[in-house]
């Protein structure tokens, strides 16, 4: 079984306000992202939030999502990945890592990565668009112990760098795999792009 870990514990410092609550396609951004994952064949969904993210927790209440709290208030992205990883059920064989601020994610993109993971002999699968690697990232749990104990300071980039031969790159035409929202101008551009579609 493949599970999904949605990273939603960031402080949104560069945005200046909690970006996961910003409206996108008629819903809070984090709800939009999770709804796309739920429409896909991505198994149970685990959302990792920070202790201060009470508003995000309230937004997620009622969705079929397990909320996991990263108790390290100043933890980096890897600490959130580890929290999500430790919460996964024992029958999981892998997990899809989704960025909570990636508005361009689609159920079709998720399903394409999962299908590629099923047919590939590689232990990591990621989308590639315009010659660049993007998200989500599908990771086999053969890497579980390594993620839990190594790559402090480099995060999953360090994992990828340590296993270049274990990566399946899936070509996609959708630049949404490359785009997340860090700054107000990112939000203006991506929400405007969505409205124009």
């Amino acid at each position: 079984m493949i599970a999904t870990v949605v990273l939603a514990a960031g402080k949104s410092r560069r945005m200046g306000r909690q970006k996961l609550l910003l409206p996108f396609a008629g819903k809070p951004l984090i709800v939009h992202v999770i709804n796309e994952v739920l429409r896909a064949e991505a198994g149970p969904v685990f959302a990792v939030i920070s202790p201060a993210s009470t508003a995000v927790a309230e937004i997620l209440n009622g969705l079929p999502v397990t909320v996991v709290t990263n108790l390290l208030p100043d933890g980096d992205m890897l600490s959130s990945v580890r929290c999500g990883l430790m919460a996964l059920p024992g029958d999981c064989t892998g997990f899809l890592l989704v960025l909570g601020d990636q508005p361009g994610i689609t159920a079709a993109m998720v399903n394409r990565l999962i299908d590629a993971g099923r047919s590939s002999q590689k232990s990591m699968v990621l989308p590639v668009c315009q010659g660049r690697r993007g998200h989500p990232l599908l990771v086999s749990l053969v890497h579980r112990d390594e993620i839990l104990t190594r790559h402090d300071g480099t995060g999953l980039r360090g994992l990828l760098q340590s296993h270049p031969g274990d990566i399946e790159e899936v070509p996609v035409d959708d630049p949404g795999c490359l785009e997340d929202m860090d700054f107000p101008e990112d939000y203006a551009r991506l929400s405007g792009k969505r409205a124009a579609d």
Side-chain angles (χ1 to χ4, degrees):
M1 177 181 67
I2 301 295
T4 298
V5 174
V6 180
L7 300 182
K11 298 187 186 314
S12 301
R13 288 191 184 101
R14 290 174 289 184
M15 184 66 71
R17 51 184 169 158
Q18 178 48 268
K19 59 186 173 182
L20 299 182
L21 302 179
L22 293 173
F24 192 90
K27 302 177 184 67
L29 174 61
I30 187 63
V31 174
H32 167 75
V33 169
I34 287 177
N35 279 347
E36 287 298 315
V37 173
L38 291 171
R39 287 179 52 229
E41 301 170 6
V45 178
F46 297 78
V48 183
I49 68 172
S50 77
S53 299
T54 53
V56 174
E58 289 172 7
I59 286 287
L60 297 179
N61 187 33
L63 291 176
V65 172
T66 299
V67 174
V68 180
T69 301
N70 182 350
L71 296 177
L72 299 173
D74 296 316
D76 59 7
M77 186 180 290
L78 181 60
S79 71
S80 288
V81 173
R82 287 170 172 166
C83 286
L85 188 54
M86 288 186 288
L88 299 184
D91 56 348
C92 272
T93 57
F95 68 99
L96 188 77
L97 185 69
V98 172
L99 305 180
D101 64 345
Q102 186 180 1
I105 190 172
T106 64
M109 184 190 302
V110 170
N111 284 337
R112 184 165 183 188
L113 292 173
I114 291 172
D115 288 344
R118 288 176 179 147
S119 61
S120 175
Q121 300 300 311
K122 305 292 181 69
S123 58
M124 291 177 282
V125 179
L126 49 75
V128 175
C129 182
Q130 301 168 1
R132 296 167 54 200
R133 290 176 170 176
H135 284 87
L137 171 65
L138 180 62
V139 183
S140 167
L141 284 192
V142 300
H143 297 293
R144 182 181 189 277
D145 290 345
E146 182 174 352
I147 294 170
L148 292 175
T149 60
R150 293 181 53 196
H151 307 301
D152 292 288
T154 59
L156 292 192
R157 186 180 299 109
L159 177 71
L160 294 170
Q161 291 170 346
S162 297
H163 303 277
D166 292 328
I167 300 169
E168 180 82 25
E169 295 185 341
V170 179
V172 299
D173 296 325
D174 187 350
C177 72
L178 305 174
E179 299 170 328
D180 58 0
M181 288 183 2
D182 290 325
F183 297 96
E185 52 266 33
D186 296 331
Y187 174 58
R189 175 175 53 84
L190 292 173
S191 56
K193 177 180 173 182
R194 174 72 181 211
D197 287 343

